[in-house]
Coordinates of all heavy atoms in Angstrom, one line a residue:
M433 N 10.9 52.2 -26.4 CA 11.3 51.0 -27.2 C 10.3 50.4 -28.0 O 9.2 50.0 -27.5 CB 12.0 50.0 -26.3 CG 12.7 48.9 -27.1 SD 13.4 47.8 -25.8 CE 13.3 46.3 -26.7
K434 N 10.5 50.4 -29.3 CA 9.5 49.6 -30.2 C 9.8 48.1 -30.5 O 11.0 47.9 -30.8 CB 9.4 50.6 -31.5 CG 8.0 50.6 -31.9 CD 7.9 51.6 -33.1 CE 6.4 51.7 -33.4 NZ 6.4 52.7 -34.7
V435 N 9.0 47.3 -30.4 CA 9.1 45.9 -30.7 C 8.4 45.5 -32.0 O 7.2 45.8 -32.0 CB 8.7 45.1 -29.5 CG1 9.0 43.6 -29.9 CG2 9.4 45.4 -28.3
D436 N 9.2 45.1 -33.0 CA 8.3 44.7 -34.3 C 7.7 43.4 -34.1 O 7.9 42.7 -33.1 CB 9.3 44.9 -35.5 CG 10.3 43.8 -35.5 OD1 10.1 42.7 -34.9 OD2 11.3 43.9 -36.3
L437 N 6.9 43.1 -35.0 CA 6.2 41.8 -35.0 C 6.9 40.6 -34.9 O 6.5 39.6 -34.1 CB 5.3 41.8 -36.3 CG 4.2 40.6 -36.3 CD1 3.3 40.8 -35.1 CD2 3.4 40.9 -37.5
N438 N 8.1 40.5 -35.6 CA 9.0 39.3 -35.6 C 9.6 39.3 -34.0 O 9.7 38.1 -33.6 CB 10.0 39.5 -36.6 CG 9.6 39.1 -38.0 OD1 8.6 38.5 -38.2 ND2 10.3 39.5 -39.0
Q439 N 10.1 40.4 -33.6 CA 10.6 40.2 -32.4 C 9.5 39.8 -31.3 O 9.9 38.9 -30.4 CB 11.2 41.6 -31.7 CG 12.5 41.9 -32.5 CD 12.9 43.3 -32.1 OE1 12.1 44.2 -32.0 NE2 14.1 43.4 -31.8
R440 N 8.3 40.3 -31.4 CA 7.2 39.8 -30.6 C 7.0 38.4 -30.6 O 6.8 37.8 -29.6 CB 6.0 40.7 -30.9 CG 5.0 40.7 -29.8 CD 3.8 41.5 -30.0 NE 4.1 42.9 -30.3 CZ 3.3 43.8 -30.7 NH1 2.0 43.5 -30.9 NH2 3.7 44.9 -31.0
R441 N 7.0 37.8 -31.8 CA 6.7 36.4 -32.0 C 7.8 35.7 -31.4 O 7.6 34.5 -30.8 CB 6.7 36.1 -33.5 CG 5.4 36.5 -34.2 CD 5.3 36.0 -35.6 NE 4.1 36.5 -36.2 CZ 3.9 36.8 -37.4 NH1 5.0 36.8 -38.3 NH2 2.7 37.2 -37.9
R442 N 9.2 36.0 -31.6 CA 10.2 35.5 -30.9 C 10.1 35.4 -29.3 O 10.4 34.3 -28.8 CB 11.5 36.1 -31.4 CG 12.7 35.1 -31.6 CD 14.0 35.6 -32.2 NE 13.8 36.5 -33.3 CZ 14.4 37.5 -33.5 NH1 15.4 38.0 -32.6 NH2 14.1 38.2 -34.6
L443 N 9.8 36.4 -28.9 CA 9.6 36.6 -27.4 C 8.6 35.7 -26.9 O 8.7 35.1 -25.9 CB 9.4 38.0 -27.0 CG 10.6 38.9 -27.1 CD1 10.2 40.4 -26.8 CD2 11.7 38.6 -26.1
L444 N 7.4 35.6 -27.6 CA 6.3 34.9 -27.3 C 6.8 33.2 -27.3 O 6.4 32.5 -26.5 CB 5.2 35.0 -28.2 CG 3.8 34.5 -27.8 CD1 3.3 35.2 -26.4 CD2 2.8 34.8 -28.8
K445 N 7.4 32.9 -28.4 CA 8.1 31.6 -28.5 C 8.9 31.3 -27.3 O 8.7 30.1 -26.7 CB 8.8 31.5 -29.8 CG 8.6 30.2 -30.6 CD 9.4 30.2 -31.7 CE 8.9 29.2 -32.8 NZ 9.5 29.4 -34.1
I446 N 9.8 32.1 -26.9 CA 10.7 31.7 -25.8 C 9.9 31.7 -24.5 O 10.2 30.8 -23.8 CB 11.8 33.0 -25.7 CG1 12.8 32.9 -26.9 CG2 12.5 32.8 -24.5 CD1 13.6 34.0 -27.0
G447 N 9.0 32.6 -24.3 CA 8.2 32.5 -23.1 C 7.4 31.3 -23.1 O 7.3 30.6 -22.0
T448 N 6.8 30.8 -24.2 CA 6.0 29.5 -24.1 C 7.0 28.3 -23.9 O 6.5 27.6 -23.1 CB 5.3 29.4 -25.5 OG1 4.7 30.5 -25.8 CG2 4.5 28.2 -25.5
T449 N 8.1 28.3 -24.4 CA 9.1 27.3 -24.2 C 9.4 27.2 -22.8 O 9.6 26.1 -22.1 CB 10.4 27.4 -25.0 OG1 9.9 27.6 -26.5 CG2 11.2 26.2 -24.9
A450 N 9.8 28.5 -22.1 CA 10.2 28.6 -20.7 C 9.0 28.0 -19.8 O 9.3 27.4 -18.8 CB 10.5 29.9 -20.3
L451 N 7.8 28.3 -20.2 CA 6.7 27.7 -19.3 C 6.6 26.3 -19.4 O 6.1 25.6 -18.5 CB 5.3 28.5 -19.8 CG 5.3 29.8 -19.4 CD1 4.0 30.4 -20.0 CD2 5.2 30.0 -17.8
A452 N 6.9 25.7 -20.6 CA 6.7 24.2 -20.8 C 7.8 23.5 -20.1 O 7.7 22.2 -19.9 CB 6.6 24.0 -22.3
L453 N 8.9 23.9 -19.9 CA 10.2 23.2 -19.4 C 10.0 22.6 -18.0 O 10.3 21.6 -17.8 CB 11.5 24.1 -19.6 CG 12.0 24.2 -21.0 CD1 13.2 25.1 -20.9 CD2 12.2 22.8 -21.6
P454 N 9.5 23.4 -17.0 CA 9.5 22.9 -15.6 C 8.5 21.7 -15.5 O 9.0 20.6 -14.9 CB 8.8 24.0 -14.8 CG 9.2 25.2 -15.6 CD 9.2 24.8 -17.0
P455 N 7.5 21.5 -16.1 CA 6.8 20.3 -16.1 C 7.4 19.1 -16.7 O 7.4 18.0 -16.2 CB 5.3 20.5 -16.7 CG 5.2 22.0 -16.7 CD 6.6 22.6 -16.7
L456 N 8.0 19.4 -17.8 CA 8.8 18.3 -18.4 C 9.9 17.9 -17.5 O 10.2 16.6 -17.4 CB 9.3 18.8 -19.9 CG 8.3 19.0 -20.9 CD1 9.0 19.6 -22.2 CD2 7.7 17.7 -21.2
F457 N 10.7 18.7 -17.0 CA 11.7 18.4 -16.0 C 11.3 17.5 -14.9 O 11.8 16.4 -14.6 CB 12.4 19.7 -15.6 CG 13.5 19.4 -14.6 CD1 14.7 18.9 -15.0 CD2 13.3 19.6 -13.2 CE1 15.8 18.5 -14.1 CE2 14.5 19.4 -12.3 CZ 15.6 18.8 -12.8
A458 N 10.0 17.9 -14.3 CA 9.4 17.2 -13.2 C 9.1 15.7 -13.7 O 9.3 14.7 -12.9 CB 8.2 17.8 -12.8
I459 N 8.5 15.6 -14.9 CA 8.2 14.3 -15.4 C 9.5 13.3 -15.6 O 9.6 12.3 -15.3 CB 7.3 14.5 -16.7 CG1 6.0 14.9 -16.4 CG2 7.3 13.2 -17.5 CD1 5.2 15.4 -17.7
S460 N 10.6 14.1 -16.1 CA 11.7 13.3 -16.4 C 12.3 12.8 -15.1 O 13.0 11.7 -14.9 CB 12.7 14.1 -17.2 OG 13.4 15.1 -16.3
Q461 N 12.3 13.6 -14.0 CA 12.8 13.2 -12.7 C 11.9 12.1 -12.1 O 12.5 11.1 -11.6 CB 12.6 14.4 -11.8 CG 13.6 15.5 -12.1 CD 15.1 14.9 -11.9 OE1 15.5 14.6 -10.9 NE2 15.8 15.1 -13.1
M462 N 10.6 12.0 -12.3 CA 9.7 11.1 -11.8 C 10.0 9.7 -12.6 O 9.9 8.7 -11.9 CB 8.2 11.4 -12.1 CG 7.9 12.4 -11.1 SD 6.1 13.1 -11.7 CE 5.1 11.8 -11.9
S463 N 10.4 9.8 -13.9 CA 10.6 8.6 -14.6 C 11.8 7.8 -13.9 O 12.1 6.6 -14.1 CB 11.0 8.8 -16.0 OG 12.1 9.5 -16.1
H464 N 12.8 8.5 -13.1 CA 13.8 7.7 -12.5 C 13.5 7.0 -11.2 O 14.2 6.0 -10.9 CB 14.9 8.7 -12.2 CG 15.5 9.3 -13.4 ND1 16.3 8.6 -14.2 CD2 15.6 10.6 -13.8 CE1 16.7 9.3 -15.2 NE2 16.3 10.6 -15.0
A465 N 12.5 7.4 -10.6 CA 12.0 6.7 -9.3 C 11.0 5.6 -9.8 O 10.2 5.7 -10.7 CB 11.3 7.8 -8.4
G466 N 11.2 4.5 -9.2 CA 10.3 3.4 -9.5 C 10.6 2.2 -8.5 O 11.6 2.1 -7.9
T467 N 9.6 1.3 -8.3 CA 9.7 0.1 -7.5 C 9.4 -1.1 -8.3 O 8.8 -1.0 -9.5 CB 8.8 0.2 -6.4 OG1 7.4 0.3 -6.8 CG2 9.0 1.4 -5.5
N468 N 9.9 -2.2 -7.9 CA 9.6 -3.4 -8.6 C 8.7 -4.2 -7.6 O 9.2 -5.0 -6.9 CB 10.9 -4.2 -8.9 CG 10.8 -5.4 -9.7 OD1 9.7 -6.0 -9.7 ND2 11.8 -5.7 -10.5
A469 N 7.4 -4.0 -7.8 CA 6.3 -4.5 -6.9 C 6.4 -6.1 -6.8 O 6.4 -6.7 -5.7 CB 5.0 -4.0 -7.2
A470 N 6.5 -6.7 -8.0 CA 6.5 -8.2 -7.9 C 7.7 -8.8 -7.2 O 7.5 -9.8 -6.4 CB 6.6 -8.7 -9.5
L471 N 8.8 -8.2 -7.5 CA 10.1 -8.9 -6.8 C 10.0 -8.4 -5.3 O 10.4 -9.3 -4.4 CB 11.4 -8.4 -7.4 CG 11.7 -9.3 -8.6 CD1 13.0 -8.8 -9.4 CD2 12.2 -10.7 -8.2
R472 N 9.6 -7.1 -5.1 CA 9.5 -6.8 -3.6 C 8.5 -7.8 -2.9 O 8.9 -8.2 -1.7 CB 8.9 -5.5 -3.5 CG 9.9 -4.3 -3.7 CD 9.3 -3.0 -3.4 NE 10.2 -1.9 -3.7 CZ 10.3 -0.8 -2.9 NH1 9.5 -0.7 -1.9 NH2 11.3 0.0 -3.0
S473 N 7.5 -8.2 -3.5 CA 6.6 -9.0 -2.7 C 7.2 -10.4 -2.7 O 7.1 -11.1 -1.6 CB 5.3 -9.1 -3.6 OG 4.4 -10.1 -3.1
S474 N 7.8 -11.0 -3.6 CA 8.3 -12.3 -3.6 C 9.5 -12.4 -2.7 O 9.7 -13.5 -2.0 CB 8.7 -12.9 -5.0 OG 9.6 -12.2 -5.6
L475 N 10.2 -11.3 -2.6 CA 11.4 -11.3 -1.5 C 11.0 -10.9 -0.3 O 11.8 -10.6 0.7 CB 12.5 -10.6 -2.2 CG 13.2 -11.1 -3.4 CD1 14.2 -10.3 -3.9 CD2 13.8 -12.6 -3.3
K476 N 9.7 -10.5 -0.1 CA 9.2 -10.0 1.3 C 10.1 -8.8 1.6 O 10.4 -8.6 2.9 CB 9.2 -11.2 2.2 CG 8.3 -12.2 1.9 CD 8.3 -13.3 3.0 CE 7.4 -14.4 2.9 NZ 7.0 -15.0 1.6
Y477 N 10.1 -7.8 0.7 CA 10.9 -6.6 1.1 C 10.0 -5.8 2.1 O 8.9 -5.7 2.0 CB 11.1 -5.7 -0.2 CG 11.8 -4.4 0.1 CD1 13.2 -4.3 0.5 CD2 11.0 -3.3 0.2 CE1 13.7 -3.0 0.6 CE2 11.5 -1.9 0.5 CZ 12.8 -1.9 0.8 OH 13.4 -0.7 1.0
Q478 N 10.8 -5.1 3.0 CA 10.1 -4.3 4.0 C 11.1 -3.0 4.2 O 12.3 -3.1 4.0 CB 9.9 -4.9 5.3 CG 11.3 -5.4 5.9 CD 11.0 -6.3 7.2 OE1 10.1 -7.2 7.1 NE2 11.7 -6.1 8.2
D479 N 10.5 -1.8 4.4 CA 11.4 -0.7 4.6 C 12.0 -0.6 5.9 O 12.7 0.3 6.2 CB 10.4 0.4 4.4 CG 10.4 0.9 3.0 OD1 11.1 0.7 2.2 OD2 9.2 1.5 2.6
T480 N 12.0 -1.5 6.8 CA 12.7 -1.5 8.0 C 13.5 -2.7 8.2 O 13.5 -3.7 7.6 CB 11.6 -1.7 9.2 OG1 10.7 -2.8 9.0 CG2 10.6 -0.4 9.3
P481 N 14.5 -2.6 9.0 CA 15.6 -3.6 9.3 C 15.0 -4.9 9.9 O 13.9 -4.9 10.6 CB 16.7 -3.0 10.0 CG 16.1 -1.8 10.6 CD 14.9 -1.5 9.9
Q482 N 15.6 -5.9 9.8 CA 15.2 -7.2 10.5 C 16.4 -7.5 11.4 O 17.5 -8.0 11.1 CB 15.2 -8.4 9.5 CG 14.7 -9.7 10.1 CD 13.2 -9.7 10.3 OE1 12.4 -9.0 9.7 NE2 12.9 -10.5 11.3
G483 N 16.4 -7.0 12.7 CA 17.4 -7.1 13.5 C 18.8 -6.3 13.1 O 18.6 -5.1 12.7
E484 N 19.9 -7.1 12.9 CA 21.0 -6.4 12.4 C 21.0 -6.4 10.9 O 21.9 -5.9 10.4 CB 22.3 -7.2 12.9 CG 22.4 -7.1 14.5 CD 22.8 -5.8 15.0 OE1 23.6 -5.2 14.4 OE2 22.3 -5.3 15.8
K485 N 20.1 -7.1 10.2 CA 20.1 -7.3 8.9 C 19.4 -6.1 8.2 O 18.3 -5.8 8.5 CB 19.4 -8.6 8.4 CG 20.2 -9.8 8.9 CD 19.5 -11.0 8.6 CE 20.2 -12.2 9.1 NZ 19.3 -13.5 9.0
Q486 N 20.1 -5.4 7.2 CA 19.4 -4.3 6.5 C 20.2 -4.1 5.2 O 21.3 -4.5 5.1 CB 19.4 -3.0 7.3 CG 20.8 -2.5 7.8 CD 20.7 -1.3 8.7 OE1 20.1 -0.3 8.2 NE2 21.1 -1.4 10.0
C487 N 19.4 -3.5 4.2 CA 20.0 -3.3 2.9 C 21.4 -2.6 3.0 O 22.3 -3.1 2.1 CB 19.0 -2.6 2.1 SG 17.5 -3.4 1.8
G488 N 21.6 -1.7 3.7 CA 22.9 -1.0 3.8 C 24.0 -1.9 4.1 O 25.2 -1.6 3.7
T489 N 23.8 -3.0 4.7 CA 24.7 -4.1 5.0 C 24.8 -5.2 4.1 O 25.5 -6.3 4.3 CB 25.0 -4.5 6.4 OG1 23.5 -5.1 6.7 CG2 25.1 -3.3 7.3
C490 N 24.0 -5.2 3.1 CA 23.8 -6.4 2.2 C 24.7 -6.2 0.9 O 24.8 -5.0 0.4 CB 22.4 -6.3 1.7 SG 21.9 -7.6 0.5
M491 N 25.3 -7.2 0.4 CA 26.1 -7.3 -0.8 C 25.3 -6.9 -2.0 O 26.0 -6.5 -3.1 CB 26.8 -8.6 -0.9 CG 25.9 -9.8 -1.3 SD 26.8 -11.4 -1.3 CE 28.2 -11.1 -2.2
Q492 N 24.0 -6.9 -2.0 CA 23.3 -6.7 -3.2 C 22.8 -5.2 -3.3 O 22.3 -4.8 -4.5 CB 22.0 -7.5 -3.3 CG 22.2 -8.9 -3.1 CD 23.0 -9.6 -4.1 OE1 23.3 -9.0 -5.2 NE2 23.4 -10.8 -3.9
F493 N 23.0 -4.3 -2.2 CA 22.5 -3.1 -2.2 C 23.5 -2.2 -3.1 O 24.7 -2.2 -3.0 CB 22.7 -2.5 -0.8 CG 22.0 -1.2 -0.5 CD1 20.7 -0.8 -0.9 CD2 22.8 -0.1 -0.1 CE1 20.1 0.3 -0.8 CE2 22.3 1.1 0.0 CZ 20.9 1.4 -0.2
V494 N 22.8 -1.3 -3.9 CA 23.5 -0.2 -4.6 C 23.0 1.2 -3.9 O 21.9 1.6 -4.2 CB 23.0 -0.3 -6.1 CG1 23.7 0.8 -6.9 CG2 23.3 -1.6 -6.6
P495 N 24.1 1.8 -3.3 CA 23.6 3.1 -2.6 C 23.2 4.1 -3.4 O 23.6 4.2 -4.7 CB 24.9 3.5 -1.9 CG 25.8 2.3 -2.0 CD 25.5 1.4 -3.1
G496 N 22.3 5.0 -3.0 CA 22.0 6.4 -3.7 C 23.2 7.2 -3.9 O 24.2 7.0 -3.4
K497 N 22.9 8.3 -4.5 CA 24.0 9.3 -4.7 C 24.4 10.0 -3.4 O 25.7 10.1 -3.3 CB 23.4 10.5 -5.7 CG 23.5 10.0 -7.0 CD 22.9 11.2 -7.9 CE 22.6 10.7 -9.3 NZ 21.8 11.7 -10.2
K498 N 23.6 10.3 -2.6 CA 24.0 10.9 -1.3 C 23.7 9.8 -0.2 O 22.7 8.9 -0.5 CB 23.2 12.0 -1.1 CG 23.4 13.2 -2.0 CD 22.5 14.4 -1.7 CE 22.4 15.3 -2.8 NZ 21.3 16.1 -2.8
P499 N 24.3 9.7 1.0 CA 24.1 8.8 2.0 C 22.7 8.5 2.4 O 22.3 7.5 2.6 CB 24.9 9.3 3.2 CG 26.1 10.2 2.5 CD 25.4 10.6 1.3
K500 N 21.8 9.7 2.5 CA 20.5 9.6 2.8 C 19.6 9.3 1.6 O 18.3 8.9 1.9 CB 20.1 10.9 3.6 CG 20.7 11.0 4.8 CD 20.1 12.0 5.7 CE 20.6 12.0 7.2 NZ 19.8 12.8 8.0
D501 N 20.0 9.2 0.5 CA 19.1 8.8 -0.8 C 18.9 7.4 -0.8 O 19.6 6.6 -0.3 CB 19.9 9.3 -2.0 CG 19.9 10.7 -2.3 OD1 19.2 11.5 -1.6 OD2 20.6 11.1 -3.2
K502 N 17.7 7.1 -1.3 CA 17.4 5.7 -1.5 C 18.2 5.1 -2.6 O 18.7 5.8 -3.6 CB 16.0 5.5 -1.7 CG 15.0 5.9 -0.5 CD 13.7 5.3 -0.5 CE 13.1 5.6 0.7 NZ 11.7 5.2 0.8
G503 N 18.4 3.7 -2.6 CA 19.3 3.3 -3.7 C 18.5 2.2 -4.5 O 17.3 2.1 -4.5
G504 N 19.4 1.2 -5.0 CA 18.8 0.1 -5.7 C 19.2 -1.2 -5.1 O 19.9 -1.3 -4.0
C505 N 18.9 -2.3 -5.8 CA 19.3 -3.7 -5.4 C 19.5 -4.4 -6.6 O 18.7 -4.3 -7.5 CB 18.1 -4.2 -4.6 SG 18.3 -5.9 -4.2
K506 N 20.7 -5.2 -6.6 CA 21.0 -5.9 -7.8 C 20.0 -7.0 -8.1 O 20.0 -7.4 -9.3 CB 22.5 -6.6 -7.5 CG 23.5 -5.6 -7.4 CD 24.8 -6.1 -7.1 CE 25.9 -5.1 -6.7 NZ 27.1 -5.7 -6.0
L507 N 19.2 -7.4 -7.1 CA 18.2 -8.4 -7.3 C 16.9 -7.9 -7.8 O 16.0 -8.6 -8.2 CB 18.0 -9.3 -6.1 CG 19.3 -9.9 -5.6 CD1 18.9 -10.8 -4.3 CD2 19.9 -10.9 -6.7
M508 N 16.7 -6.5 -7.8 CA 15.5 -6.0 -8.1 C 15.7 -4.8 -9.2 O 15.7 -3.7 -8.9 CB 14.9 -5.2 -6.9 CG 14.4 -6.3 -5.8 SD 13.3 -5.5 -4.6 CE 13.7 -6.6 -3.1
P509 N 15.8 -5.3 -10.5 CA 16.0 -4.3 -11.6 C 14.9 -3.3 -11.6 O 13.7 -3.6 -11.5 CB 15.9 -5.3 -12.8 CG 15.7 -6.6 -12.3 CD 15.6 -6.6 -10.9
G510 N 15.2 -2.1 -11.9 CA 14.3 -1.1 -12.0 C 13.8 -0.3 -10.8 O 13.0 0.6 -10.7
D511 N 14.3 -0.9 -9.7 CA 13.8 -0.4 -8.2 C 14.8 0.6 -7.8 O 15.9 0.1 -7.5 CB 13.4 -1.6 -7.4 CG 12.5 -1.1 -6.1 OD1 12.7 0.1 -5.7 OD2 11.8 -1.8 -5.8
T512 N 14.4 1.9 -7.7 CA 15.3 2.9 -7.3 C 14.9 3.4 -6.0 O 15.3 4.4 -5.4 CB 15.5 4.0 -8.2 OG1 14.1 4.5 -8.4 CG2 16.0 3.6 -9.6
E513 N 14.0 2.6 -5.3 CA 13.5 3.2 -4.0 C 13.8 2.2 -2.8 O 13.0 2.2 -1.8 CB 11.9 3.2 -4.2 CG 11.5 4.3 -5.1 CD 11.9 5.7 -4.7 OE1 11.5 6.1 -3.6 OE2 12.5 6.5 -5.4
I514 N 15.0 1.6 -2.8 CA 15.4 0.7 -1.8 C 15.9 1.4 -0.7 O 16.9 2.2 -0.9 CB 16.3 -0.3 -2.3 CG1 15.7 -1.2 -3.4 CG2 16.8 -1.3 -1.3 CD1 14.6 -2.1 -3.1
S515 N 15.4 1.3 0.5 CA 16.0 2.1 1.7 C 17.2 1.3 2.2 O 17.3 0.1 2.3 CB 14.9 2.1 2.7 OG 15.4 2.6 3.9
A516 N 18.2 2.1 2.7 CA 19.3 1.5 3.3 C 19.1 0.7 4.6 O 19.7 -0.2 4.9 CB 20.6 2.5 3.7
S517 N 17.9 1.2 5.2 CA 17.5 0.5 6.5 C 16.5 -0.6 6.1 O 15.7 -1.1 7.0 CB 17.0 1.4 7.4 OG 16.0 2.3 6.9
G518 N 16.2 -0.9 4.6 CA 15.2 -1.9 4.4 C 15.8 -3.3 4.6 O 16.8 -3.5 5.0
Y519 N 15.0 -4.3 4.3 CA 15.3 -5.7 4.4 C 14.5 -6.6 3.6 O 13.4 -6.3 3.3 CB 15.3 -6.1 5.8 CG 15.3 -7.7 6.1 CD1 16.5 -8.3 6.1 CD2 14.0 -8.4 6.1 CE1 16.5 -9.7 6.2 CE2 14.2 -9.9 6.3 CZ 15.4 -10.4 6.4 OH 15.5 -11.8 6.5
C520 N 15.1 -7.7 3.0 CA 14.4 -8.8 2.4 C 14.9 -10.1 2.7 O 16.1 -10.2 3.3 CB 14.2 -8.5 0.9 SG 15.6 -9.1 -0.1
V521 N 14.3 -11.1 2.4 CA 14.7 -12.5 2.7 C 16.0 -12.9 1.9 O 16.7 -13.9 2.3 CB 13.7 -13.6 2.5 CG1 12.5 -13.4 3.4 CG2 13.2 -13.6 1.0
A522 N 16.4 -12.1 0.8 CA 17.6 -12.6 0.2 C 18.9 -11.8 0.7 O 20.0 -11.8 0.1 CB 17.5 -12.0 -1.5
W523 N 18.7 -11.1 2.0 CA 19.9 -10.4 2.5 C 21.1 -11.4 2.6 O 21.1 -12.6 3.0 CB 19.4 -10.0 4.0 CG 20.6 -9.2 4.6 CD1 20.9 -7.8 4.6 CD2 21.6 -9.7 5.5 NE1 21.9 -7.4 5.3 CE2 22.4 -8.6 5.9 CE3 21.8 -10.9 6.0 CZ2 23.4 -8.7 6.7 CZ3 23.0 -11.1 6.7 CH2 23.7 -10.0 7.1
A524 N 22.2 -10.8 2.2 CA 23.6 -11.5 2.3 C 24.5 -10.4 2.9 O 24.6 -9.4 2.2 CB 23.8 -12.1 0.9
K525 N 25.3 -10.9 3.8 CA 26.3 -9.8 4.5 C 27.3 -9.3 3.5 O 27.9 -10.2 2.7 CB 26.9 -10.4 5.7 CG 27.7 -9.5 6.3 CD 28.3 -10.0 7.7 CE 29.1 -9.0 8.4 NZ 29.1 -8.9 9.7
K526 N 27.4 -8.0 3.5 CA 28.4 -7.5 2.6 C 29.8 -7.9 3.0 O 30.1 -7.9 4.2 CB 28.3 -5.9 2.6 CG 29.2 -5.2 1.6 CD 29.1 -3.8 1.8 CE 27.7 -3.1 1.8 NZ 27.8 -1.6 2.0
A527 N 30.7 -8.4 2.1 CA 32.1 -8.9 2.6 C 32.9 -7.8 2.9 O 32.8 -6.7 2.5 CB 32.8 -9.5 1.3
Ligands
SF4_408 FE1 18.0 -5.2 0.5 FE2 17.2 -7.6 -0.1 FE3 18.3 -6.1 -2.0 FE4 19.8 -7.0 0.1 S1 18.7 -8.3 -1.4 S2 19.9 -5.0 -0.7 S3 18.4 -6.9 1.8 S4 16.4 -5.8 -1.0

């Protein structure tokens, strides 16, 4: 099978694009994860529960996609790393 110059260029282009996609995908996934350090600190957030009080039972908690995924908090914009078993001083029982 003979490959002419144009086909070779096209294959090279496709190969280069295919090699560039995985790192871009990884970067885009990383951009979704984040913490809000300033609010975590001021609300004294911790990754462990405080007795019976934990994010999973708080009215401010926004669960992740799957039950074991980390979620968010309505009081901490941009923070997607809130643990369901975490806690902060703004805890308020879910109704
Ligand atoms: Fe967790 Fe505090 Fe947010 Fe409630 S307010 S979900 S306890 S971080």
